[in-house]
C-alpha cells in the first residue's frame, strides 16, 4: 500500500513537472519575442527565394492577459500591423495581419503581412535565431514557406 502511494505521488509530480515545462517553453519563447525587433534574413516558398525581407517588431505584451501585436516594416516604408501568438508548448507560432488602412506608404509591408499570415511550426528557436515553417500561409496554401529571422 505504501509503495502504491509513493508511486502515485511520484507520477503526479512528474505530470506536473512536464506540464510546467511545456507552459514555461511557451512563455520563454514569447519573452524572447516581446519588445524585440527581428530581421527576416530569408524567406523561401517551395525552395524559391522571396525578395522582400522586412524587420519585424514584437510589441511588449503579457501573453496570458492580452493579444500580442507587432509591426512589419520594409526598407523604411510604412508599417503593417499584425497579431501574434506562441502556443502548443512553444512549438507553434501564429501571425495574423491586422492592418486596417492600406496606402502607397505601407502597401509592400501590408502585402507581406497579409501574404504570410498563417500558422507556423517553430523549427529553430533560441535567443538569437528563429526559423518558422508553414504550409498554411494565406497566399501560399499547401506550399512550404520557410522564414528565417535573427534578433537585431
Amino acid at each position: 500500500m505504501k509503495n502504491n502511494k509513493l508511486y502515485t505521488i511520484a507520477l503526479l509530480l512528474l505530470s506536473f513537472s512536464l506540464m510546467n515545462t511545456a507552459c514555461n517553453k511557451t512563455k520563454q519563447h514569447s519573452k524572447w519575442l516581446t519588445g524585440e525587433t527581428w530581421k527576416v534574413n530569408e524567406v523561401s516558398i517551395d525552395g524559391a527565394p522571396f525578395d522582400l525581407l522586412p524587420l519585424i517588431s514584437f510589441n511588449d505584451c503579457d501573453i496570458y492577459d492580452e493579444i500580442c501585436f507587432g509591426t512589419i516594416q520594409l526598407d523604411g516604408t510604412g508599417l503593417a500591423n499584425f497579431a501574434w501568438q506562441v502556443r502548443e508548448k512553444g512549438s507553434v507560432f501564429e501571425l495574423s495581419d491586422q492592418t486596417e488602412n492600406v496606402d502607397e506608404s505601407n502597401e509592400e509591408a501590408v502585402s507581406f503581412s497579409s501574404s504570410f499570415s498563417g500558422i507556423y511550426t517553430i523549427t529553430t528557436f533560441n535567443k538569437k535565431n528563429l526559423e518558422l515553417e508553414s504550409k498554411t500561409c494565406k497566399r501560399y496554401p499547401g506550399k512550404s514557406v520557410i522564414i528565417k529571422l535573427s534578433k537585431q
Side-chain angles (χ1 to χ4, degrees):
M1 185 70 164
K2 186 176 180 180
N3 284 341
N4 283 342
K5 274 187 174 181
L6 288 174
Y7 177 75
T8 303
I9 290 170
L11 198 56
L12 286 171
L13 288 172
L14 179 62
S15 297
F16 177 74
S17 174
L18 289 174
M19 278 183 12
N20 194 32
T21 300
C23 291
N24 283 343
K25 200 162 196 176
T26 296
K27 190 173 184 176
Q28 177 187 41
H29 286 177
S30 296
K31 277 183 148 183
W32 287 347
L33 294 174
T34 189
E36 300 294 341
T37 298
W38 292 67
K39 176 161 180 32
V40 176
N41 298 313
E42 182 181 324
V43 176
S44 66
I45 303 152
D46 275 347
F50 187 81
D51 293 336
L52 300 176
L53 303 175
L55 286 177
I56 300 179
S57 297
F58 297 89
N59 298 352
D60 284 325
C61 77
D62 183 333
I63 63 168
Y64 298 111
D65 291 337
E66 59 189 307
I67 296 171
C68 298
F69 292 97
T71 57
I72 293 174
Q73 184 174 25
L74 281 158
D75 296 328
T77 62
L79 301 174
N81 300 304
F82 67 93
W84 63 274
Q85 181 181 44
V86 175
R87 61 175 201 246
E88 307 294 327
K89 302 176 185 171
S91 66
V92 171
F93 175 82
E94 184 171 356
L95 183 144
S96 175
D97 180 55
Q98 301 292 308
T99 306
E100 293 182 17
N101 299 313
V102 181
D103 59 40
E104 268 185 33
S105 71
N106 69 352
E107 190 175 7
E108 284 187 328
V110 172
S111 177
F112 187 95
S113 181
S114 177
S115 296
F116 293 99
S117 286
I119 299 170
Y120 293 83
T121 300
I122 298 172
T123 56
T124 301
F125 201 176
N126 56 51
K127 290 181 181 181
K128 302 247 184 227
N129 298 294
L130 170 61
E131 186 173 324
L132 307 167
E133 185 171 358
S134 179
K135 291 195 176 201
T136 65
C137 286
K138 185 175 178 181
R139 187 170 176 190
Y140 306 102
K143 295 187 177 185
S144 177
V145 173
I146 296 173
I147 300 176
K148 296 180 180 181
L149 304 98
S150 62
K151 190 173 180 180
Q152 288 299 107

